[in-house]
Amino acid sequence: MCAHLIVTLRAVLLAAALGLGWMAAPAVAAPPDNNADVYRAVREGTAQSITFTAPADRMLIQSEGQTWRQWRNGPITQIGGWMLAGVFVALVLFRLVRGKIMLEGPPTGRLIQRFSTVERMTHWTVALSFVLLAITGLTLLFGKHVVIPLIGYSAFSWIAALGKNVHNFVGPLFFASTLVMVALFARDNVWQAIDALWIRKAGGLLSGEHVPSWRFNFGEKTWFWIGVVILGLLVGITGLVLDFPGNGQIRQDMQLAHIIHTSGALIFIALSLGHIYIGSVGMEGSLESMKTGYVDETWAREHHEYWYREAKGGSGAAPVAPGSARPSTAH
Amino acid sequence: MARMKFLCDTERCIECNGCVTACKNEHEVPWGIQRRRVVTINDGVVGQEKSMSVACMHCSDAPCMAVCPVDVFYRTEDGVVLHDKDACIGCGYCFYACPFGAPQFPQTGTFGQRGKMDKCTFCAGGPEADGSDAEFEKYGKNRLAEGKLPMCAEMCSTKALLGGDGTALADIFRERVVRRGGSGAEMIGWNTAYGSGEQKRQQTRGGDK
Amino acid sequence: MNTTRTALLIGAAMALAACGEAPQVTNYKAGTYSGKPDTRPWESAAYGGDKALWESDMRARARKQTEIGRMPPG
């Protein structure tokens, strides 16, 4: 406290002395009495000379590291964490309000093929690698705050080392299988006129109404384009930049790639929770369709009516069965 | 209580790279890694060329420590930032965050993946027993435990690079500045690593954010 | 249904735990030790725990880095 007082006092005296000096002396623009200019230049990220080959880049001080740290430790960790928790809570609420979405009619016992073997293998490769990547990735982001307090850092470092290696080796598999998946599913995910009805009725998610659609409804299409295509490829490509260091990318490239990778992945995981919920415990018959490739005719008629009619040899948009939501616009 | 710091006097550094070599030799640093580097700014501009030697500055608010996902970093009572190589997973986050490019990785993993991070230890070794073979193997010599200061600073031929307790270094530097004139502000990197006086006061008051 | 609900609640609690705004950095206080088990420099064979001796040695060593005072006057 005393020292602080002395420092303050000294600063006041110094300021007074300088002020007096300034009043006495003629105003001359002297060069700054410090290294502010040098500092500014150094922190602008200009390349400097280094005798040896620089290990990474040729800066004296890289200010981008501080920016990266603030993004990663700040919004990405905090907003990302709250977002995942929020989606989880929303799904729990949805489950409590809506319950499991059951078939309304009795199953007919007749099956229709919904997914081919290739499609199912691709889906499960993507799905399995996605889950592994999500778990290991979240471990790296949140483990320090959630797991280390529980088991200590030495034990956690085993988990994290395993997780990092799994993440690095499964990553390219995820990217490759995502490419295959995009190629396989893109055709049936293009916009179709009936999707407007789905948007207007919000998919019937809360009302329980069945909105007719072709093979994929607009909810599935949203997940496909935003999730699989945009986020999947974005996270995949930035992941490859991070996964193979020493191929020309400098530190700043990797910082940027990491910010995109982590934010994209967190949104991807948040969306995937909805997909995983509705594809497993949330809806009767949906898991079987991807497990076996076949759905019951009742399921097909209730959830994807046009596709069902088309599969049965009709023209798809033909008259719909009673009890289903009727498109308000005539087809 | 000592607070270990590095200070490079840019008026004196002649870019001989003796510190780099001394460090590599003293610690038998792995191939491809140099814990210290000499950077020259305004190279070739007469009167403005300055060189300085940088390594880990053992920051007060160390970015590596803040971003490490497995929390391998620790700080000794003397303010030296050390790390536990056994727990390091080689993610490279410290390498992204460090302003001075101190953390480096041997590319030992499959497909050139990062190995365990290596950086300047202020010649203070690591968590292993002081002076043990295991410690030397991973971190190099533990000179502090022998009552010596970092090799790079102690062998600097022009005494541009100083290492040791911050107050002792400040005294030495003040004497120099008084002798040669000038403002004494030629300590590039100092504010980034240790903060200016104002930042430090805020930190001790408000805590890290 | 009960087990599902319990599992969901536990899951929600775990997910929420990730949102704690735990401090990102061990706030450094001068002269305190934060972190991993390690022997202190003065606990080595050379010093045997004599911290005062180690500190005075370090001070002396640091002072050796200046030539001022060692030069002949003039």
Side-chain angles (χ1 to χ4, degrees):
Chain A
M1 196 60 226
C2 191
H4 188 248
L5 198 70
I6 290 169
V7 168
T8 319
L9 194 65
R10 201 163 54 194
V12 169
L13 286 175
L14 190 67
L18 284 174
L20 289 174
W22 176 75
M23 287 205 294
V28 175
D33 198 17
N34 55 37
N35 267 11
D37 290 342
V38 181
Y39 251 120
R40 206 169 298 123
V42 155
R43 301 207 63 155
E44 270 166 6
T46 35
Q48 315 290 352
S49 292
I50 297 179
T51 310
F52 292 114
T53 313
D57 49 25
R58 306 179 75 83
M59 288 182 199
L60 179 56
I61 298 173
Q62 60 116 8
S63 305
E64 294 88 343
Q66 184 68 8
T67 316
W68 176 78
R69 167 190 171 177
Q70 280 163 350
W71 273 96
R72 191 250 177 199
N73 280 10
I76 291 181
T77 307
Q78 277 158 22
I79 300 177
W82 283 114
M83 182 180 65
L84 289 187
V87 170
F88 194 87
V89 169
L91 283 174
V92 171
L93 286 176
F94 182 77
R95 170 81 189 204
L96 294 178
V97 171
R98 186 69 210 278
K100 188 172 184 175
I101 301 170
M102 306 298 282
L103 284 182
E104 284 176 3
T108 58
R110 292 188 299 275
L111 298 177
I112 304 180
Q113 189 179 29
R114 182 155 169 78
F115 297 110
S116 73
T117 312
V118 176
E119 283 171 340
R120 283 185 295 124
M121 279 169 64
T122 311
H123 174 270
W124 288 116
T125 312
V126 173
L128 188 67
S129 54
F130 178 87
V131 169
L132 283 173
L133 291 166
I135 290 172
T136 53
L138 291 176
T139 308
L140 286 186
L141 188 58
F142 297 113
K144 191 179 188 174
H145 311 299
V146 181
V147 189
I148 287 185
L150 297 178
I151 61 170
Y153 94 105
S154 324
F156 177 70
S157 95
W158 284 97
I159 300 174
L162 182 70
K164 178 225 164 196
N165 282 308
V166 167
H167 202 90
N168 282 0
F169 282 89
V170 172
L173 174 69
F174 171 79
F175 181 65
S177 52
T178 299
L179 288 180
V180 177
M181 187 173 221
V182 171
L184 282 178
F185 287 102
R187 203 176 63 88
D188 285 328
N189 275 292
V190 292
W191 171 265
Q192 285 153 316
I194 193 66
D195 294 332
L197 182 71
W198 194 95
I199 297 172
R200 210 158 45 241
K201 296 195 179 283
L205 279 175
L206 288 174
S207 61
E209 200 178 355
H210 284 306
V211 186
S213 72
W214 294 91
R215 189 175 176 209
F216 297 119
N217 65 34
F218 188 73
E220 290 165 298
K221 287 176 184 176
T222 309
W223 166 240
F224 177 78
W225 289 110
I226 295 181
V228 179
V229 179
I230 298 177
L231 290 173
L233 295 183
L234 195 67
V235 170
I237 291 166
T238 52
L240 291 178
V241 172
L242 296 166
D243 203 354
F244 300 98
N247 286 301
Q249 70 272 51
I250 61 165
R251 190 182 345 222
Q252 280 73 31
D253 301 333
M254 289 191 267
Q255 288 164 351
L256 185 64
H258 180 274
I259 297 286
I260 299 172
H261 186 80
T262 317
S263 351
L266 283 166
I267 301 171
F268 202 4
I269 293 168
L271 291 177
S272 82
L273 289 178
H275 174 73
I276 292 169
Y277 171 78
I278 208 80
S280 56
V281 294
M283 180 186 278
E284 187 184 8
S286 60
L287 187 59
E288 280 67 35
S289 76
M290 200 43 99
K291 248 163 68 182
T292 62
Y294 288 89
V295 291
D296 195 273
E297 277 188 6
T298 311
W299 190 94
R301 185 171 47 75
E302 288 181 1
H303 294 298
H304 298 275
E305 193 162 344
Y306 287 11
W307 170 72
Y308 164 72
R309 300 207 164 270
E310 187 188 43
K312 295 298 279 180
S315 64
V320 287
S324 296
R326 213 172 277 272
S328 53
T329 48
H331 274 267
Chain B
M1 181 48 67
R3 166 66 173 95
M4 294 302 182
K5 294 180 181 183
F6 278 126
L7 191 159
C8 187
D9 187 347
T10 50
E11 301 297 312
R12 286 191 176 211
C13 180
I14 57 168
E15 200 197 350
C16 70
N17 280 294
C19 47
V20 182
T21 318
C23 174
K24 279 197 80 103
N25 186 59
E26 179 77 353
H27 301 300
E28 298 182 12
V29 174
W31 180 257
I33 288 175
Q34 50 188 70
R35 292 181 179 177
R36 188 165 270 294
R37 63 197 173 120
V38 179
V39 181
T40 307
I41 58 178
N42 298 326
D43 197 4
V45 183
V46 177
Q48 292 179 39
E49 184 178 305
K50 309 269 184 215
S51 295
M52 73 168 294
S53 174
V54 264
C56 172
M57 297 287 270
H58 304 277
C59 296
S60 298
D61 175 21
C64 51
M65 216 171 195
V67 299
C68 179
V70 280
D71 209 9
V72 303
F73 292 93
Y74 63 105
R75 195 193 310 265
T76 70
E77 271 146 299
D78 318 303
V80 178
V81 176
L82 296 176
H83 69 295
D84 181 355
K85 276 197 182 183
D86 293 338
C88 174
I89 60 168
C91 66
Y93 288 1
C94 49
F95 162 84
Y96 301 160
C98 177
F100 301 107
Q104 290 165 33
F105 294 84
Q107 296 198 340
T108 50
T110 325
F111 307 127
Q113 306 249 350
R114 297 184 181 94
K116 308 262 185 202
M117 188 272 274
D118 191 272
K119 78 170 187 69
C120 159
T121 62
F122 208 84
C123 291
E128 279 79 6
D130 288 347
S132 63
D133 286 346
E135 185 184 52
F136 180 73
E137 188 82 8
K138 290 176 195 159
Y139 309 96
K141 279 262 177 63
N142 190 336
R143 290 171 58 87
L144 283 198
E146 299 169 2
K148 299 169 184 167
L149 287 169
M151 189 61 172
C152 51
E154 290 215 303
M155 56 64 58
C156 178
S157 56
T158 60
K159 287 284 161 273
L161 184 62
L162 305 173
D165 181 24
T167 51
L169 300 192
D171 286 344
I172 295 172
F173 195 67
R174 197 180 309 116
E175 288 163 12
R176 279 185 194 177
V177 170
V178 166
R179 280 181 160 245
R180 71 181 173 217
S183 69
E186 306 88 5
M187 300 181 286
I188 295 175
W190 182 276
N191 285 3
T192 308
Y194 310 123
S196 61
E198 186 48 39
Q199 281 172 335
K200 201 170 186 183
R201 273 194 292 281
Q202 280 176 355
Q203 261 179 21
T204 44
R205 247 186 259 131
D208 180 78
K209 187 65 221 172
Chain C
M1 193 59 204
N2 237 344
T3 34
T4 323
R5 208 166 277 189
T6 322
L8 287 174
L9 282 175
I10 292 171
M14 283 172 71
L16 275 168
C19 301
E21 292 190 27
Q24 305 270 352
V25 193
T26 328
N27 198 8
Y28 175 62
K29 289 181 191 69
T32 54
Y33 184 83
S34 53
K36 317 290 173 271
D38 188 7
T39 47
R40 320 287 207 270
W42 54 86
E43 285 162 356
S44 64
Y47 287 92
D50 192 344
K51 191 179 175 193
L53 177 64
W54 181 79
E55 287 196 332
S56 71
D57 273 13
M58 292 314 276
R59 264 196 299 278
R61 196 96 179 179
R63 284 302 299 176
K64 281 186 185 164
Q65 292 182 102
T66 180
E67 70 288 351
I68 297 169
R70 284 195 277 149
M71 292 184 296

